[in-house]
Amino acid sequence: MRPRLLMAAIGLALVVLVLLSLAVGRVWLAPAELVAGVLAAKPNLAWLILTELRLPRTLLALLVGATLGLAGAVLQGLLRNPLAEPGLLGVSGGAALGAVIAIYFGLSSVFAAAAPVLGIVGALLAGALTFALGRGGTLTLILAGAAVSGLAGAGLSLALNFAPSPYAAYEITTWLLGSLVDRDWHQLAIAAPFLLAGWIALAATAPALDALTLGEVQAESLGIDLARTRLLALAGTACAVGAATSVTGAIGFIGLVAPHIVRPLVGHQPSRVLLPAALLGAALLLVADIATRAIPTATELKLGVLTSLVGTPFFLGLVIRLRRTAP
């Protein structure tokens, strides 16, 4: 399939999904109600639901999904590992730990933006630590990311173990499950600059990713600065994925699944995968978020739980396929 045709198809699907996301919820809004709410001279119930609840949630789903898809495509190209995803370098764990610290010490109840801000700081610190420990090469970078992820996981376990109250433990656990519920314009405004900065850094790695398909030695002979490429990929992942995780909590598998779906359709040149993977990541996360609202449950299903339930079979299938094709 031609890349332009694929992106046009995904773009059309995104338009449909956005309209559906604005309509679906505990209070369903028919198309006529959506239009009437937008055109109303005075704010009414439909207008409030649309502008204060549905629209920021929908936009955040698009931005976070695009971030995870783009970061996954870059990391798979950089590490030349089909199982690579944004959490591999410890960034997601660092963001989660930073946000949990804000919840643990009650900062989020005093300052609404404390969790996103500390989450972004945690992601940047985790990314810096991974880069400092993993300067020896790609394998060293992966091992350093695993170590930082383990350290962040230990910190999360400590926070749960020593939670100052059952309410704090419940809030931490709920946040770690990942969700877009009750996310507002303020949180979107905090995360957006970091998401944009991360996208720019990740997109700048595209030429180097193409050269890396030949191997690291050959890429260096073509003038590619591998240290700069790794720094851009890590910094971009830390900014973008860290900001996304700090606002939505832990959401897995989107960054793993999206690049694998589009890669056979656009070719295996890494730079051609980046934009389609970002668009598909946005579509996949929006589908998952709509599903959490449409599935009839007493308590809304958490977004991270749903993506894990759907993504795990895909991951297992990918492992089995790789085992069959491995020499």
Side-chain angles (χ1 to χ4, degrees), residues 25-88:
R26 292 193 179 277
V27 177
W28 287 63
L29 297 177
E33 291 178 299
L34 288 175
V35 174
V38 172
L39 299 179
K42 294 182 179 180
N44 54 23
L45 179 59
W47 185 88
L48 290 173
I49 292 174
L50 181 65
T51 59
E52 298 300 323
L53 297 177
R54 303 275 172 83
L55 191 54
R57 179 172 181 167
T58 299
L59 291 176
L60 196 56
L62 291 172
L63 295 177
V64 172
T67 295
L68 295 175
L70 176 60
V74 169
L75 292 179
Q76 288 174 16
L78 174 69
L79 304 176
R80 284 161 293 158
N81 184 338
L83 301 181
E85 52 93 25
L88 186 65

Side-chain angles (χ1 to χ4, degrees), residues 187-291:
Q187 292 169 312
L188 182 61
I190 293 172
F194 292 93
L195 293 173
L196 179 59
W199 292 352
I200 294 172
L202 291 170
T205 65
L209 297 181
D210 289 342
L212 276 170
T213 58
L214 303 174
E216 292 187 0
V217 175
Q218 290 79 1
E220 286 184 315
S221 69
L222 293 174
I224 299 300
D225 188 340
L226 293 183
R228 176 180 176 276
T229 302
R230 294 190 187 103
L231 178 60
L232 281 173
L234 194 56
T237 302
C239 281
V241 177
T245 304
S246 69
V247 173
T248 64
I251 298 175
F253 291 102
I254 298 294
L256 174 69
V257 171
H260 278 285
I261 293 177
V262 301
R263 190 173 288 115
L265 301 175
V266 300
H268 293 268
Q269 184 178 343
S271 61
R272 299 177 66 181
V273 176
L274 301 188
L275 182 56
L279 293 176
L280 184 61
L284 290 176
L285 191 60
L286 199 53
V287 167
D289 186 49
I290 293 171

Side-chain angles (χ1 to χ4, degrees), residues 99-273:
V100 165
I101 287 174
I103 297 172
Y104 182 88
F105 290 103
L107 299 177
S108 57
S109 60
V110 178
F111 177 47
V117 169
L118 285 184
I120 292 169
V121 171
L124 294 173
L125 291 176
L129 181 58
T130 298
F131 183 76
L133 295 175
R135 289 188 176 183
T138 299
L139 179 60
T140 309
L141 191 66
I142 294 174
L143 294 175
V148 173
S149 293
L151 181 63
L156 293 173
S157 298
L158 281 173
L160 282 171
N161 190 79
F162 295 110
S165 68
Y167 174 77
Y170 173 78
E171 190 175 359
I172 291 171
T173 303
T174 302
W175 186 87
L176 288 175
L177 294 177
S179 178
L180 289 169
V181 177
D182 298 330
R183 302 308 189 261
D184 55 25
W185 293 106
H186 190 56
Q187 292 169 312
L188 182 61
I190 293 172
F194 292 93
L195 293 173
L196 179 59
W199 292 352
I200 294 172
L202 291 170
T205 65
L209 297 181
D210 289 342
L212 276 170
T213 58
L214 303 174
E216 292 187 0
V217 175
Q218 290 79 1
E220 286 184 315
S221 69
L222 293 174
I224 299 300
D225 188 340
L226 293 183
R228 176 180 176 276
T229 302
R230 294 190 187 103
L231 178 60
L232 281 173
L234 194 56
T237 302
C239 281
V241 177
T245 304
S246 69
V247 173
T248 64
I251 298 175
F253 291 102
I254 298 294
L256 174 69
V257 171
H260 278 285
I261 293 177
V262 301
R263 190 173 288 115
L265 301 175
V266 300
H268 293 268
Q269 184 178 343
S271 61
R272 299 177 66 181
V273 176

